[in-house]
C-alpha cells in the first residue's frame, strides 16, 4: 500500500553530452553554409583574360589580404554553353556567390593585365577592392584554448567525484556519501528464500520482517509497532549474508546493502557523514531495508583499548548510527538488518530494544538441514544416479553451509581431474578428505625410523579410542603426510549438545594415546604430539576455568560471555588461585596420560600388530581394527550412523574412504596430526559443545 502511493513514473535523465553535440553541429553547419553551398569554380589567369576579352565579366573583386579575385559574370555570359557549370546561382551567408575565383600572384602585374585588356577592348568591367576575414574560424581559434582547459577541468572533476572506480582517494569531493548498493524491485536479484536451505527459524523471522514492510497496516492496526532492526548472529559460513540476499530478492522495497568497513575512512567525520547519508537515502525511498554486513567493524563497545585515541573516529560513527536508529525524527518505515559473528563485542547501546529488537541466531546446520543444503548446491552439478544425499549429510557433521558448498565444488573439480562424466560418491568423500586433512604429499621424504614412530603414534590413538566408551570410534588412520601433518586419524564423532566429565576425560585420554604409545614402545617421546598437547591443554583448562568440572575449585567459572575480559590486563582470580588452576590442569592431563599408558601396556601386542599393518598398507580402516581388537565392547552410536559406517561397498578403498569422512565434530575437526606445527583443523571442541 505504502509502496504504491510513492511510486511515480521516472523522468528522463538529462545528459549534458547532447548539449555539447548540438553546439558542435551548429558551428560546423555555419562554417559549411558560409563556404560550401556555392557553385563557385576556380579558374586560371589565361581563362580570366579570355573571359574578359569576350566581354563575359561584369565585375572583378580583388581581395587584397588573401590574394584572391572573385569574378562575377554578366547575364548574357551565363547563357553561354561554356559557363553552364556555374550558371546556377546559390545562396551564401555573405551574399551572392561569384561564378569564378582566382588565386593570383603579384597584385601589380594582375592589375596591369586587366587595365591593358580593358583599354584595348574598351570594356566597362568594374574592378573593386575588398578585404575578408573568417569570423567563425577566427572565433574558434581564439576560443579553442579556453574550451580545452574547461573540458579537461570538467573531466578531472567528474573523475574525482566518483567516476574513478570508488576508492577513498577517487571520491575526494563525494567522500561523505554512502557507498551502499541499492537493490530495488526492478533489479535482477535471483536469490530468494527457496535458495536458503535449512535455517527454518531464522528464515521465518526474516520473512516476517519482509511482511512488516509489505503489509504494515496488518500489524499497526492493533496498536503494535514495526521492529526497527534485527541482528543476525552465528558462526562464519552459516548463511547470514545469504539470508540478507534472499530478503533483497523477496522484498518489493528498496534494499540498501553495505559492509561495516564501508563507513571507515582515513578522514575525520567521514563515517558519521556516510551514516547520515545512508539513512537519508533510505527515508526518501521508505519503506526500505538497510543491511550492514560485519557490523562489528563499527559497532564495538566504546571505551575499550582507547589509550592511543585511535578509536575516536569509529566511536563517532557508532554514535551517529545509534542516533539514526533511535533518535528524534526517525522514520519507522526503515528496518535495519545487520550480521556479525562477534555479537559479544558489540556495544550494549546498540543491542538494546528499540534499535535491534530481535537477535536471530543462525547456528551450524544439523543432519536434516545439511541434507537440504546439499540438495541446493548439487543442482548445478552433474552427479551419478546412485548418489545418496542422506549419506553425504551424515558424513559432514559440524560443516557449515559454506563448507558444504566448498565440498560440492571440490568434488566436481576432482571428478573433472579424473576425466569423469559425472560426480560420484567417491569424489565427494575425497573432497571432504582434501578439505579437512589437506592434500596428500606422497613424495615427502620420511626416514624409516620416523615412519615407524608415526605408525606407532597413530596406532596408539586408534587403540585407546577403540578401548574407551566415550571416545569417538576411529574410522581411518594414515601415515601418508597430508597438509601440515605427518600422519592423521579420522574419527566418527557424535553430535552432542552437552558434554559430561567422563566424555571429556575419555577424549583427552584418546588424544594422549599417541604420545603414550611412543613411551610404551620406544621409551622415548617426540615433538610430533604438539597438536595433541595443545588440544588436551585447552580441554583441561576449559574444564577447570570455564565449565566448573573440577572438584578442587568447585562450581566456579571465570568465563565472561560479554567479552569484556579480552580488553583487561588483570585476571579475574588471584595469584594463589592461578597456581591452583595450573596444578589442577597438570593433574588432569597427567592422569589421562598414565591411563593411556596402562591401556596400551595391556594391549601391547595388538598395538604392535596394528602398527605393523599400518606400516605395510600406510592406510587402514575400521575393518582392520575389528579384525585385531574385535567388536567394540560398548553400545555403538545410533544405528543409522553405525549401519552406514560399516557398509561394505565393492572395493576396499572406497569402503575405507567413505567410512573415514565423518571426521569433523561440531565446530572442530577430529583429525589428530603428527606434526610439530600447529594443525589449524585440530582445535578444542569442549568449549563450544558446552556452550551449545
Amino acid at each position: 500500500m505504502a509502496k504504491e502511493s510513492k511510486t511515480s513514473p521516472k523522468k528522463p535523465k538529462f545528459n549534458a553530452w547532447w548539449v555539447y553535440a548540438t553546439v558542435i553541429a551548429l558551428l560546423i553547419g555555419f562554417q559549411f553554409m558560409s563556404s560550401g553551398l556555392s557553385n563557385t569554380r576556380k579558374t586560371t589567369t589565361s581563362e580570366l583574360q579570355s573571359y574578359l576579352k569576350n566581354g563575359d565579366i561584369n565585375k572583378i573583386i580583388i581581395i587584397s589580404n588573401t590574394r584572391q579575385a572573385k569574378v562575377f559574370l554578366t547575364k548574357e555570359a551565363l547563357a553561354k554553353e561554356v559557363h553552364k557549370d556555374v550558371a546556377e546561382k546559390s545562396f551564401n551567408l555573405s551574399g551572392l556567390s561569384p561564378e569564378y575565383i582566382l588565386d593570383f600572384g603579384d597584385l601589380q602585374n594582375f592589375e596591369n593585365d586587366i587595365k591593358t585588356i580593358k583599354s584595348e577592348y574598351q570594356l566597362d568591367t568594374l574592378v573593386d577592392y575588398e578585404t575578408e576575414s573568417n569570423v567563425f574560424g577566427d572565433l574558434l581559434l581564439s576560443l579553442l584554448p579556453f574550451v580545452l582547459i574547461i573540458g579537461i577541468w570538467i573531466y578531472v572533476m567528474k573523475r574525482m567525484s566518483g567516476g574513478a572506480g570508488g576508492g577513498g582517494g577517487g571520491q575526494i569531493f563525494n567522500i561523505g556519501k554512502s557507498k551502499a548498493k541499492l537493490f530495488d524491485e526492478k533489479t535482477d536479484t535471483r536469490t530468494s528464500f527457496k535458495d536458503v536451505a535449512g535455517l527454518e527459524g531464522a528464515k521465518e523471522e526474516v520473512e516476517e520482517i519482509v511482511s512488516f514492510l509489505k503489509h504494515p497496516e496488518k500489524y499497526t492496526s492493533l496498536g503494535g509497532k514495526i521492529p526497527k532492526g534485527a541482528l543476525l548472529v552465528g558462526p562464519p559460513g552459516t548463511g547470514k549474508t545469504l539470508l540478507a540476499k534472499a530478503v533483497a530478492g523477496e522484498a518489493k522495497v528498496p534494499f540498501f546493502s553495505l559492509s561495516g568497513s564501508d563507513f571507515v575512512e582515513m578522514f575525520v567525520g567521514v563515517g558519521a557523514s556516510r551514516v547520515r547519508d545512508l539513512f537519508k537515502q533510505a527515508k526518501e525511498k521508505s519503506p526500505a531495508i538497510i543491511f550492514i554486513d560485519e557490523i562489528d567493524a563499527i559497532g564495538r563497545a566504546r571505551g575499550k583499548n582507547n589509550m592511543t585515541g585511535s578509536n575516536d573516529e569509529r566511536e563517532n560513527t557508532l554514535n551517529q548510527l545509534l542516533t539514526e536508529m533511535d533518535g528524534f525524527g526517525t522514520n519507522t518505515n526503515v528496518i535495519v538488518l545487520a550480521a556479525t559473528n562477534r555479537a559479544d563485542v558489540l556495544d550494549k547501546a546498540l543491542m538494546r530494544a528499540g534499535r535491534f529488537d530481535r537477535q536471530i541466531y543462525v547456528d551450524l546446520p544439523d543432519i536434516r538441514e545439511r541434507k537440504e543444503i546439499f540438495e541446493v548446491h548439487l543442482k548445478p552439478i552433474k552427479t551419478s544416479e546412485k548418489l545418496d544425499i542422506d549419506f553425504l549429510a551424515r558424513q559432514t557433521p559440524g560443516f557449515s553451509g559454506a563448507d558444504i558448498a566448498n565440498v560440492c565444488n571440490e568434488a566436481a573439480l576432482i571428478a573433472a581431474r579424473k576425466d569423469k562424466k559425472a560426480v560420484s560418491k567417491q569424489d565427494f568423500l575425497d573432497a571432504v578428505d582434501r578439505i579437512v586433512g589437506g592434500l596428500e604429499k606422497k613424495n615427502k621424504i620420511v626416514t624409516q625410523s620416523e615412519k615407524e614412530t608415526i605408525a606407532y603414534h597413530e596406532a596408539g590413538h586408534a587403540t585407546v579410542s577403540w578401548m574407551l566408551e566415550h571416545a569417538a570410534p576411529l574410522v581411518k588412520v594414515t601415515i601418508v603426510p597430508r597438509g601440515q601433518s605427518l600422519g592423521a586419524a579420522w574419527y566418527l564423532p557424535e553430535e552432542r549438545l552437552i558434554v559430561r566429565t567422563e566424555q571429556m576425560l575419555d577424549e583427552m585420554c584418546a588424544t594422549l594415546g599417541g604420545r603414550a604409545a611412543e613411551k610404551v614402545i620406544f621409551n622415548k617421546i617426540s615433538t610430533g604430539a604438539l597438536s595433541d598437547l595443545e588440544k588436551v591443554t585447552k580441554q583441561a583448562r576449559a574444564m577447570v576455568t570455564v565449565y566448573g568440572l573440577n572438584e578442587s575449585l568447585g562450581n566456579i567459572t571465570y568465563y565472561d560471555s560479554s567479552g569484556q575480559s579480552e580488553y583487561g590486563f588483570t585476571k579475574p582470580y588471584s595469584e594463589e588461585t592461578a597456581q591452583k588452576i595450573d596444578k589442577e590442569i597438570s593433574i588432569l592431563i597427567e592422569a589421562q596420560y598414565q591411563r593411556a599408558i596402562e591401556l596400551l601396556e595391556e594391549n601391547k601386542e595388538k598395538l604392535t600388530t596394528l602398527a605393523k599393518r599400518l606400516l605395510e598398507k600406510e592406510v587402514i580402516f575400521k575393518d582392520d581394527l575389528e579384525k585385531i581388537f574385535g567388536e567394540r565392547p560398548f553400545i555403538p552410536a545410533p544405528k543409522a550412523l553405525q549401519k552406514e559406517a560399516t557398509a561394505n561397498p565393492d572395493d576396499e578403498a572406497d569402503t575405507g574412504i567413505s567410512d573415514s569422512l565423518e571426521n569433523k565434530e561440531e565446530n572442530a575437526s577430529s583429525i589428530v596430526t603428527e606434526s610439530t606445527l600447529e594443525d589449524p583443523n585440530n582445535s578444542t571442541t569442549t568449549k563450544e559443545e558446552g556452550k551449545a
Side-chain angles (χ1 to χ4, degrees), residues 226-238:
I226 296 176
K228 293 188 178 179
L231 183 65
L232 301 172
V233 184
T238 51

Side-chain angles (χ1 to χ4, degrees), residues 126-189:
L126 180 62
V127 179
D128 198 3
Y129 296 88
E130 290 182 0
T131 57
E132 280 188 357
S133 61
N134 192 345
V135 179
F136 289 102
D138 296 342
L139 182 63
L140 286 175
L141 287 174
S142 60
L143 293 179
L144 185 60
F146 298 99
V147 172
L148 287 175
I149 293 172
I150 294 171
I152 293 172
W153 183 80
I154 292 173
Y155 175 76
V156 171
M157 291 299 103
K158 283 184 172 292
R159 296 280 294 180
M160 295 179 70
S161 62
Q171 297 183 350
I172 193 70
F173 294 103
N174 207 20
I175 197 168
K177 299 293 183 181
S178 171
K179 294 183 178 181
K181 184 178 181 182
L182 174 62
F183 300 90
D184 55 20
E185 63 273 10
K186 297 182 180 180
T187 306
D188 186 18
T189 51

Side-chain angles (χ1 to χ4, degrees), residues 447-463:
T447 64
Q448 185 61 33
S449 175
E450 291 174 338
K451 195 173 183 180
E452 189 176 352
T453 303
I454 297 169
Y456 276 101
H457 184 108
E458 299 300 336
H461 286 303
T463 302

